[in-house]
Amino acid sequence: MLSIRGFWRRHRRKLIVSAGLLGSGYTLYKLYNAHKQRLLDLEEELEAERQTNELVKAQLQAHFESIQRIADTTTLPYAIHYLQSRISEDLDLSDTMKRLIEAKSQPSLLTPAEKIELWERLKILSFVKMVLSLWAMTLLSLYIRVQVNILGRHLYIDTARKLGSSPLLEEADQFGKHGEQEFLATADYLSSYGMTQLIPSMEMAAKEVLNGKHLKDTFSAPALRETIMQILDRFVSINGPHHWVTYLVPENAVAYKHLTATSSSGLEAATTSLHPDMDKLDQLMVEARFVLSSEDFGNIVDISLSSVVDAVIEEMGLHPSNGDSSSFPSGVPLAKLLPRVSKMGPLLLEETVRNKFIQVVRNLPAVQLFYTHLYANMPGVA
């Protein structure tokens, strides 16, 4: 015992220092290991987060592409078919053309004043039908894509919340709720109700622009393009810059329900059909109006209409082919141009799989970019 005490007294300082060093070393070792483990845990968390983000991006891309296919293969073909039927019915030129043809073989059937009146009517209605078909096809194509992207974004978020971290979104392509189905059904609003106001407005615009343009006047490709664009510009300005939105989207869900029920089953049915999904339908309509009234969408409309007008001019054969400027050196008399104008309406409203004008709109880079941004960053609505 004495030897141990003596050893302790002789080497106490060394032993204390050695113990301190050992303790410090052990503590530093433990701290190092803990820090290293935290770094490893952080790296694992970051990797898991990265994988989750990549998965979400892949899901969003797949869902976005699926939503676009819904617009192209389901909603748009039906809406275009219904639109074509309505325009053909309301802007039928056959009677006017028949009377002019009969008068050509039997001059005594019509007085000179009656012939002039019929030709003027044919001139106005031919341009009205073509420009209205052009505008309605373009705007309906754009609007339906707005619809499905709004719905798709809502559905993706709702489904993701329900499924939590699950990577599967089995319900992602199904617009199953009643309010969502009714919102998609408003794609027919233009044909069913908007056309009532659209046709008189377009006819007013065409009359103003075509006033003073005679059947003997020649039209070159630039002149025809300018005429079409003037009619479109005048049409848009008649009732205000965004009034055309009322032709595409109902004012609100309640007004829409009453309108559709009154036209089919009576006002009583409209009252009894009000249900909780009305709030959802109204919200979707508000969002659609918000998007359609935005400056970005207005730019997309201008780009799309301009591109379709160019495609129409080319389809009518007024552009010189292969750079041959002698094809139509001085233009075509308006009287000879009218048959081509009247034939463009049905071509603009052909079924979607064959409709080159719908393809023109669909393939515009600016249009594709707009809908990518719309789906990924749905704007808020005040």
Side-chain angles (χ1 to χ4, degrees):
M1 182 65 67
L2 292 174
S3 61
I4 294 174
R5 290 178 179 175
F7 180 80
W8 170 252
R9 282 196 297 269
R10 288 194 303 273
H11 302 287
R12 180 176 56 184
R13 182 180 296 276
K14 293 180 180 180
L15 291 173
I16 291 174
V17 171
S18 297
L21 290 174
L22 288 173
S24 299
Y26 179 75
T27 301
L28 289 173
Y29 173 75
K30 293 293 289 183
L31 290 172
Y32 171 77
N33 273 351
H35 178 67
K36 185 177 180 181
Q37 187 59 46
R38 283 198 297 271
L39 289 177
L40 291 174
D41 293 342
L42 180 59
E43 288 179 0
E44 291 177 358
E45 290 177 7
L46 292 174
E47 178 62 20
E49 184 178 351
R50 187 192 65 79
Q51 292 179 359
T52 300
N53 289 337
E54 290 297 324
L55 179 60
V56 169
K57 288 180 182 179
Q59 286 181 328
L60 282 170
Q61 182 63 30
H63 188 229
F64 172 74
E65 293 173 356
S66 178
I67 289 300
Q68 312 317 304
R69 286 194 296 272
I70 290 175
D72 295 337
T73 62
T74 305
T75 312
L76 184 58
Y78 172 79
I80 288 292
H81 176 74
Y82 189 22
L83 179 66
Q84 193 274 337
S85 299
R86 180 64 190 271
I87 292 178
S88 296
E89 179 181 342
D90 290 357
L91 292 172
D92 186 6
L93 307 179
S94 59
D95 183 61
T96 302
M97 296 180 69
K98 180 181 178 182
R99 292 183 65 189
L100 285 170
I101 291 172
E102 290 175 347
K104 188 175 182 180
S105 59
Q106 304 178 51
S108 61
L109 285 177
L110 297 173
T111 66
E114 289 174 332
K115 289 181 182 179
I116 292 175
E117 183 181 352
L118 282 176
W119 274 107
E120 283 297 308
R121 178 163 179 77
L122 182 63
K123 177 185 74 174
I124 297 298
L125 290 184
S126 295
F127 273 91
V128 168
K129 188 171 185 177
M130 179 183 70
V131 180
L132 186 144
S133 298
L134 187 156
W135 184 89
M137 179 277 297
T138 303
L139 268 293
L140 191 59
S141 300
L142 295 172
Y143 171 56
I144 287 175
R145 193 66 68 88
V146 168
Q147 279 187 304
V148 296
N149 277 282
I150 289 176
L151 279 176
R153 183 64 175 172
H154 275 277
L155 187 59
Y156 184 91
I157 293 174
D158 291 345
T159 307
R161 286 171 179 167
K162 292 177 184 177
L163 298 178
S165 60
S166 172
L168 300 177
L169 294 176
E170 294 88 349
E171 302 178 11
D173 294 338
Q174 301 173 10
F175 298 132
K177 296 181 181 179
H178 191 66
E180 293 165 347
Q181 290 176 335
E182 288 202 298
F183 180 58
L184 278 179
T186 63
D188 285 338
Y189 183 81
L190 171 64
S191 301
S192 300
Y193 308 104
M195 201 63 65
T196 304
Q197 295 180 329
L198 173 59
I199 291 177
S201 296
M202 189 66 75
E203 187 169 349
M204 183 186 302
K207 285 181 178 179
E208 291 186 16
V209 173
L210 294 172
N211 183 34
K213 297 185 185 298
H214 305 291
L215 296 174
K216 294 181 179 180
D217 293 345
T218 57
F219 273 71
S220 61
L224 179 59
R225 188 187 193 283
E226 182 181 4
T227 299
I228 295 173
M229 295 304 298
Q230 285 176 345
I231 294 174
L232 287 170
D233 292 341
R234 181 69 191 103
F235 161 72
V236 171
S237 65
I238 285 176
N239 293 306
H242 294 117
H243 181 76
W244 56 265
V245 175
T246 63
Y247 303 143
L248 290 169
V249 190
E251 183 180 355
N252 54 61
V254 174
Y256 175 66
K257 290 294 292 182
H258 279 283
L259 183 62
T260 55
T262 301
S263 63
S264 56
S265 305
L267 188 56
E268 183 179 353
T271 304
T272 57
S273 65
L274 300 179
H275 45 69
D277 282 338
M278 289 287 290
D279 290 338
K280 183 67 172 181
L281 178 60
D282 201 56
Q283 177 192 0
L284 293 170
M285 287 182 179
V286 169
E287 291 185 17
R289 280 178 166 272
F290 181 84
V291 173
L292 266 59
S293 301
S294 67
E295 182 179 354
D296 288 342
F297 187 78
N299 293 335
I300 292 302
V301 170
D302 291 341
I303 293 171
S304 300
L305 287 173
S306 179
S307 299
V308 173
V309 170
D310 287 338
V312 165
I313 300 298
E314 183 176 355
E315 181 68 21
M316 292 176 68
L318 291 182
H319 272 316
S321 56
N322 300 322
D324 182 8
S325 59
S326 64
S327 299
F328 292 99
S330 58
V332 181
L334 181 56
K336 292 185 178 181
L337 187 62
L338 286 182
R340 304 188 198 186
V341 173
S342 62
K343 290 178 181 178
M344 285 308 304
L347 288 178
L348 284 158
L349 299 174
E350 273 191 323
E351 58 184 81
T352 55
V353 293
R354 296 186 302 168
N355 195 316
K356 64 176 66 177
F357 305 104
I358 290 178
Q359 297 296 329
V360 166
V361 176
R362 183 184 301 166
N363 294 332
L364 287 171
V367 171
Q368 296 174 352
L369 183 61
F370 173 80
Y371 287 113
T372 301
H373 288 166
L374 176 64
Y375 179 82
N377 305 291
M378 190 65 65
V381 181

